[in-house]
Amino acid sequence: MTEYKSNNIVSLLPPRKNIGLFLLVTMLLIIGTGMSVSVMSNSYCKLSPQWSLSLLAALVIFFSITNFRVIKGSFLGAKVLKYYSITLTVICLPAIFLQNSTAALIFCFINISLLFSAIYLISGKKYLAFVQYQQDFFTDIKEAKEAVEKELNGGNSPCK
């Protein structure tokens, strides 16, 4: 993992490769979530469209909140996303054996491969380097804000 020393200045944007990797993982998980809800609602229990949509909405809200935590530099959020994708994979794996048509089987394989790809990328060093970078960035912002507040509060005293 890339170490960012305390004396180095963290720039405004992380390296492009790390941003691209983060966006790729985000897209894989969004698509994987939608496909997983489709597999669950069609294979395990025949849900009505309203229930499928509400399940999808709940999962997307959970994913969005967790993904926002990763943007803020939370390693716990990255770990939760990893377990989220593992959970979706484990739920959708048995559906492979329940499919009647070739198209549904291919759909399940694509879903599982997307989720496995997301798990692999989240576990990688570059993704963790992105999270570390974001954590350092927001720590620097917090330190700068505290320094400005300290300077402003120190400047309120009357001139000598």
Side-chain angles (χ1 to χ4, degrees), residues 81-101:
L81 279 183
K82 180 179 175 183
Y83 289 124
Y84 171 76
S85 55
I86 289 172
T87 302
L88 288 179
T89 304
V90 168
I91 289 172
C92 292
L93 268 174
I96 292 173
F97 303 111
L98 301 174
Q99 302 307 319
N100 296 332
S101 67

Side-chain angles (χ1 to χ4, degrees), residues 14-42:
R16 287 185 187 194
K17 289 181 183 179
N18 292 355
I19 293 174
L21 180 66
F22 172 76
L23 293 175
L24 177 64
V25 168
T26 301
M27 292 309 299
L28 287 173
L29 285 176
I30 288 172
I31 295 168
T33 300
M35 292 177 80
S36 296
V37 168
S38 176
V39 167
M40 285 186 277
S41 66
N42 291 327

Side-chain angles (χ1 to χ4, degrees), residues 36-145:
S36 296
V37 168
S38 176
V39 167
M40 285 186 277
S41 66
N42 291 327
S43 298
Y44 299 127
C45 53
K46 305 297 182 200
L47 295 176
S48 67
Q50 292 86 4
W51 281 104
S52 294
L53 187 60
S54 23
L55 176 62
L56 180 63
L59 287 176
V60 165
I61 289 170
F62 172 76
F63 168 75
S64 298
I65 291 170
T66 308
N67 205 34
F68 182 73
R69 298 291 300 166
V70 171
I71 291 172
K72 297 289 267 181
S74 170
F75 284 101
L76 179 63
K79 192 177 282 191
V80 167
L81 279 183
K82 180 179 175 183
Y83 289 124
Y84 171 76
S85 55
I86 289 172
T87 302
L88 288 179
T89 304
V90 168
I91 289 172
C92 292
L93 268 174
I96 292 173
F97 303 111
L98 301 174
Q99 302 307 319
N100 296 332
S101 67
T102 308
L105 188 63
I106 291 171
F107 188 80
C108 283
F109 276 125
I110 290 172
N111 181 29
I112 299 227
S113 63
L114 288 175
L115 292 171
F116 273 133
S117 299
I119 293 168
Y120 175 75
L121 292 174
I122 290 172
S123 301
K125 291 182 179 180
K126 291 207 181 273
Y127 192 81
L128 295 177
F130 172 79
V131 176
Q132 181 67 47
Y133 188 92
Q134 292 298 103
Q135 186 178 45
D136 292 343
F137 176 73
F138 283 103
T139 302
D140 285 352
I141 288 176
K142 183 179 177 183
E143 289 173 0
K145 183 179 179 182

